[in-house]
């Protein structure tokens, strides 16, 4: 589950190298997915400072982690000694920011984790009054955006797990149940299929389907409803699933909906077909958007086509107009165009794909048609 020591050591080494190339002298990483990526341990974020101090390549100090003494047992299982990461504990009443500044020496440019709480950002500012703070995200994304074989295997397992939940949708989604009841049953299935958490469960029935990030509500599913089901969460290794299918419950939807859905399905296919190394993220968005716009539904496709996925559900690369980033093997992201008719209905089709040497692998393989459930 946790990457082997040599893989982690290589990540730490490369983080230092990329930091240097970004003109950053030290990375300061508090609990979160960046830390988990580098150490196999995400930590927990709260008011007491836990912080990995990772000098850029060319700086002599070894990496070190500053951690509250009472949290130190949580690190006992980590291969920190093998990784050459020093552990410095502190107790209540001491100034942990001072410890960080002693470790970091006198940098002039530091990068802090994107998710670092502002209280820690300001605490660090007090002990490094003249040091420019930038975000560590641009450094870490250069590593995290391209998944290695072990990460792809975990994303593949997550995709298969969420596909098994979608395969059981007729057990959960039926006429007369509220969205919340359907959501509870789906949550149980997400856990049954090996996730540690149902990170999100969207059951958007009828008019609620027109709100892309609808949650669940007390609305009762009616015969003939079109329902958007967008679900996912992490497996124990931390890698996430995320897949959307749209269902019709208890009967065929009207021809207008069928026609619009066919446009959406074609757009999703074309967008997936556009994925290969060397094309821009923007071009994958365009491949989905053009056919939808040509069908007169452009204004109903109200979001980007996709987002990267890994230890975070949403991460780089974003599949969005204006993103010139070139796709490379190992990049993993969603392809999820949707159409939303306010007050009436909505539909979305979402697969996670991984860029391969000559195209992509889909990690979600459930039928993409508008599946009619018995209801
Ligand atoms: Zn979303
Ligand atoms: Zn989703
Ligand atoms: Zn998504």
């Amino acid at each position: 589950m946790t990457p082997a020591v040599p893989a982690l050591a290589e990540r730490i080494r490369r983080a230092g190298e990329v930091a240097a190339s970004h003109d950053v002298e030290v990375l300061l990483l508090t609990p979160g997915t960046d830390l988990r990526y580098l150490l196999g341990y995400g930590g927990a974020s709260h008011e007491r400072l836990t912080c990995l101090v990772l000098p850029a390549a060319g700086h002599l100090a070894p990496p070190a982690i500053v951690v509250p003494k009472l949290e130190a047992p949580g690190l006992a299982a980590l291969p920190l000694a093998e990784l050459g990461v020093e552990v410095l504990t502190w107790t209540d009443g001491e100034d942990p920011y001072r410890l960080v500044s002693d470790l970091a020496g006198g940098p002039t440019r530091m990068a802090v984790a994107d998710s670092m709480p502002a209280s820690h950002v300001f605490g660090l500012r007090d002990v490094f009054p003249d040091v420019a703070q930038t975000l560590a995200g641009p450094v870490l994304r250069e590593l995290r955006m391209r998944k290695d074989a072990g990460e792809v295997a975990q994303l593949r397992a997550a995709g298969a797990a969420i596909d098994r939940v979608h395969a059981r949708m007729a057990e959960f989604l039926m006429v007369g149940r509220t969205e919340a009841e359907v959501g509870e049953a789906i949550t149980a299935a997400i856990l049954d299929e090996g996730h540690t958490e149902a990170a999100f469960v969207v059951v958007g029935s009828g008019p609620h389907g027109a709100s892309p990030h609808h949650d669940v509500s007390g609305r009762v599913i009616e015969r003939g409803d079109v329902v958007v089901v967008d679900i996912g969460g992490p497996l124990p290794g931390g890698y996430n699933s995320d897949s959307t299918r749209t269902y019709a419950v208890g009967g065929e939807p009207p021809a207008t909906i069928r026609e619009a859905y066919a446009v959406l399905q074609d757009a999703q296919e074309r967008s997936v077909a556009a994925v290969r190394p060397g094309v821009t993220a923007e071009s994958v968005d365009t491949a989905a958007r053009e056919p939808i716009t040509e069908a007169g539904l452009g204004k109903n496709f109200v979001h980007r086509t996709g987002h990267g996925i890994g230890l975070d559900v949403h991460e780089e690369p974003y599949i969005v107009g204006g993103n010139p980033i070139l796709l490379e093997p190992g990049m993993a992201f969603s392809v999820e165009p949707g159409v939303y008719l306010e007050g009436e209905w909505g539909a979305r089709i979402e697969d996670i794909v991984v860029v391969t040497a000559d195209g992509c692998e889909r990690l979600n393989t459930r039928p993409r048609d508008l599946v009619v459930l018995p209801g």
Side-chain angles (χ1 to χ4, degrees):
M1 221 60 87
T2 303
V5 171
L8 291 175
E10 175 64 7
R11 289 177 185 182
I12 292 170
R13 190 191 64 74
R14 284 204 50 224
E17 255 181 31
V18 177
S21 78
H22 283 233
D23 208 14
V24 163
E25 287 167 274
V26 63
L27 294 168
L28 300 178
L29 304 175
T30 41
T33 49
D34 288 337
L35 197 62
R36 185 163 189 173
Y37 180 79
L38 294 175
L39 296 183
Y41 163 82
S45 191
H46 45 62
E47 80 289 0
R48 289 188 178 97
L49 181 73
T50 294
C51 185
L52 177 68
V53 179
L54 178 49
H59 295 253
L60 291 175
I65 187 162
V66 169
V67 65
K69 196 168 181 76
L70 78 172
E71 307 267 333
L75 277 62
L78 302 179
L80 294 174
E82 290 103 302
L83 292 171
V85 177
E86 230 180 291
V87 179
L88 267 95
T89 60
W90 61 279
T91 50
D92 292 343
E94 287 183 289
D95 181 353
Y97 306 108
R98 206 32 83 194
L99 277 181
V100 172
S101 81
D102 290 349
L103 283 167
T108 55
R109 283 173 57 84
M110 61 164 70
V112 303
D114 288 20
S115 60
M116 183 182 285
S119 55
H120 295 324
V121 175
F122 279 76
L124 290 165
R125 214 171 260 185
D126 287 343
V127 295
F128 294 105
D130 302 317
V131 181
Q133 289 175 330
T134 58
L135 290 174
V139 173
L140 269 297
R141 81 166 169 235
E142 288 201 21
L143 281 75
R144 290 179 53 182
M145 225 166 24
R146 273 170 242 86
K147 272 68 183 176
D148 65 27
E151 294 180 283
V152 171
Q154 294 193 62
L155 284 169
R156 195 179 285 125
I162 210 68
D163 279 4
R164 292 194 296 272
V165 178
H166 273 296
R168 293 172 56 192
M169 202 50 62
E171 290 173 45
F172 316 132
L173 185 51
M174 49 188 76
V175 173
R177 282 193 174 181
T178 65
E179 291 176 357
E181 287 164 348
V182 172
E184 257 176 59
I186 292 173
T187 296
I190 289 174
L191 298 175
D192 273 357
E193 297 297 351
H195 296 81
T196 58
E197 183 199 347
F200 51 93
V201 176
V202 174
V203 181
S205 67
H208 290 169
S211 164
H213 274 181
H214 178 72
D215 184 7
V216 295
S217 78
R219 185 181 182 278
V220 175
I221 311 291
E222 292 169 24
R223 188 162 300 281
D225 274 354
V226 171
V227 184
V228 177
V229 178
D230 185 355
I231 52 180
L235 291 192
Y239 287 82
N240 285 282
S241 64
D242 181 8
S243 176
T244 308
R245 291 294 184 264
T246 300
Y247 299 91
V249 185
E252 286 285 328
T256 48
I257 291 183
R258 283 241 165 246
E259 282 159 23
Y261 190 89
V263 170
L264 174 65
Q265 192 172 352
D266 173 57
Q268 205 263 357
E269 284 299 329
R270 289 195 203 198
S271 186
V272 170
V275 175
R276 61 183 169 277
V279 305
T280 62
E282 174 175 53
S283 71
V284 175
D285 180 82
T286 304
R289 206 164 295 279
E290 267 177 3
I292 292 175
T293 303
E294 274 163 28
L297 292 166
K299 66 179 186 312
N300 303 94
F301 178 14
V302 296
H303 53 74
R304 65 190 175 213
T305 292
H307 54 83
I309 188 167
L311 292 170
D312 284 309
V313 178
H314 287 186
E315 59 181 49
E316 302 270 357
Y318 292 101
I319 307 303
V320 61
N323 187 357
I325 196 171
L326 299 178
L327 300 185
E328 294 177 45
M331 288 182 177
F333 50 85
S334 68
V335 177
E336 53 174 311
V339 292
Y340 308 96
L341 287 97
E342 220 187 309
E344 297 174 45
W345 65 283
R348 179 164 66 258
I349 304 169
E350 175 179 26
D351 292 323
I352 303 302
V353 302
V354 180
V355 182
T356 59
D358 55 2
C360 73
E361 173 187 351
R362 291 170 110 133
L363 303 187
N364 300 105
T365 57
R366 293 293 305 159
R368 298 174 188 87
D369 315 303
L370 185 48
V371 171
V372 180
L373 300 177

